[in-house]
Amino acid sequence: MGALWRGFTRMTSNKLTLFGMLILVFLVLVAAFAPLLAPHDPYAQDLGKRLLPLFSDGHVFGTDSLGRDILSRVIYGSRITLYIVALVALIAPVAGLLVGTASGYFGGVVDVVLMRVTDVFLAFPRLVLALAFVAALGAGIENAVIAISLTAWPPYARIARAETLTIRQADYIAAIRLQGAGAFHIITKHIWPLCVSSLIVRVTLDMAGIILAAAGLGFLGLGAQPPSPEWGAMISEGRKFILDHWWVATIPGLAIFLVSLGFNLLGDGLRDVLDPKSSSDD
């Protein structure tokens, strides 16, 4: 408990890290209390109030082309963003950890095959590969999550493999092996715990890219489908009016920017706490 508190204190002593943490806490609270915070129904249309400017007629962020309140849609869109981030953060690192530790521990043919598969995935830009998977699976938020997860796991596999190659040569691993411990026991009890800190840092730093990938799929109409208030889809709709009604696309764009900034700042703080080598280099 003392070590956790010291790490938390060290992380929050950095003002930028604390700012990033506050942004994400605010995002979680907004998503949790969306029905209480949203001033209007995010799906309610009123063509008589379409494209209202900021702070007009009870609409703080104006309205879109169908007269829907942009603030309410941004608030409810935070739920979709957290949903995507949470699922990808559960799927991609676990898949990468499994592949990376198996590759690094067993070596030989297993290592060659798994790393060549990883190289194939790394050879394609993430968004292009996600587009290919979504095109094969079909549009929808669940398929978008699967597609992003399929493109996000290779870096985690590389990190887990590098950590495993270092750990498996340690003397205490050799001693455990001499005591009769099997590969499964060594990997799950002694290698995975030491890989987790590096993966946590990478996950936090990757969240911004995941949010942008999800927004990109939504922008192209391959993510969350209308009338879901997904931020990328809102930007796609607002681009038609960007010159005369800039707020329709700008407000959800600013939401994506702030959340991505929060994850990046928090990731830098976690890296300093969980990776002693990087903090010592600084």
Side-chain angles (χ1 to χ4, degrees), residues 15 19 28 37 48 57 68 81 96 105 122 144 177-178 184 191 203-204 215 226 231 246 271 282:
K15 293 182 179 179
F19 179 63
V28 173
L37 297 175
D57 198 16
R68 297 173 297 193
T81 298
Y105 185 83
L122 287 172
R177 193 180 294 115
L178 289 174
F184 180 79
I191 294 180
V203 167
T204 310
W231 292 343
W246 54 267
R271 180 184 58 190
D282 295 340

Side-chain angles (χ1 to χ4, degrees), residues 12-148:
T12 54
S13 63
N14 186 318
K15 293 182 179 179
L16 290 177
T17 303
L18 181 61
F19 179 63
M21 187 182 300
L22 291 176
I23 291 176
L24 299 182
V25 170
F26 178 73
L27 173 69
V28 173
L29 292 176
V30 167
F33 298 102
L36 300 177
L37 297 175
H40 301 277
D41 184 347
Y43 302 102
Q45 302 179 14
D46 187 352
L47 296 179
K49 296 183 178 181
R50 65 189 302 270
L51 299 175
L52 289 179
L54 305 181
F55 304 104
S56 60
D57 198 16
H59 300 280
V60 177
F61 288 163
T63 60
D64 62 11
S65 60
L66 296 176
R68 297 173 297 193
D69 183 65
I70 293 178
L71 174 58
S72 300
R73 291 181 64 78
V74 168
I75 290 174
Y76 272 86
S78 64
R79 290 186 163 188
I80 298 177
T81 298
L82 281 179
Y83 175 74
I84 294 173
V85 165
L87 287 182
V88 174
L90 288 174
I91 296 172
V94 172
L97 181 65
L98 293 173
V99 172
T101 51
S103 176
Y105 185 83
F106 295 108
V109 177
V110 174
D111 184 28
V112 172
V113 171
L114 292 178
M115 285 301 101
R116 294 300 76 78
V117 173
T118 304
D119 290 339
V120 170
F121 278 85
L122 287 172
F124 293 92
R126 177 177 293 183
L127 184 57
V128 173
L129 194 57
L131 287 172
F133 281 122
V134 171
L137 297 171
I141 188 170
E142 288 78 14
N143 290 340
V145 168
I146 295 173
I148 296 172

Side-chain angles (χ1 to χ4, degrees), residues 130-169:
L131 287 172
F133 281 122
V134 171
L137 297 171
I141 188 170
E142 288 78 14
N143 290 340
V145 168
I146 295 173
I148 296 172
S149 300
L150 288 173
T151 62
W153 67 267
Y156 302 108
R158 284 290 189 184
I159 293 173
R161 177 180 180 270
E163 296 278 359
T164 303
L165 288 175
T166 303
I167 297 169
R168 75 172 186 177
Q169 303 298 333

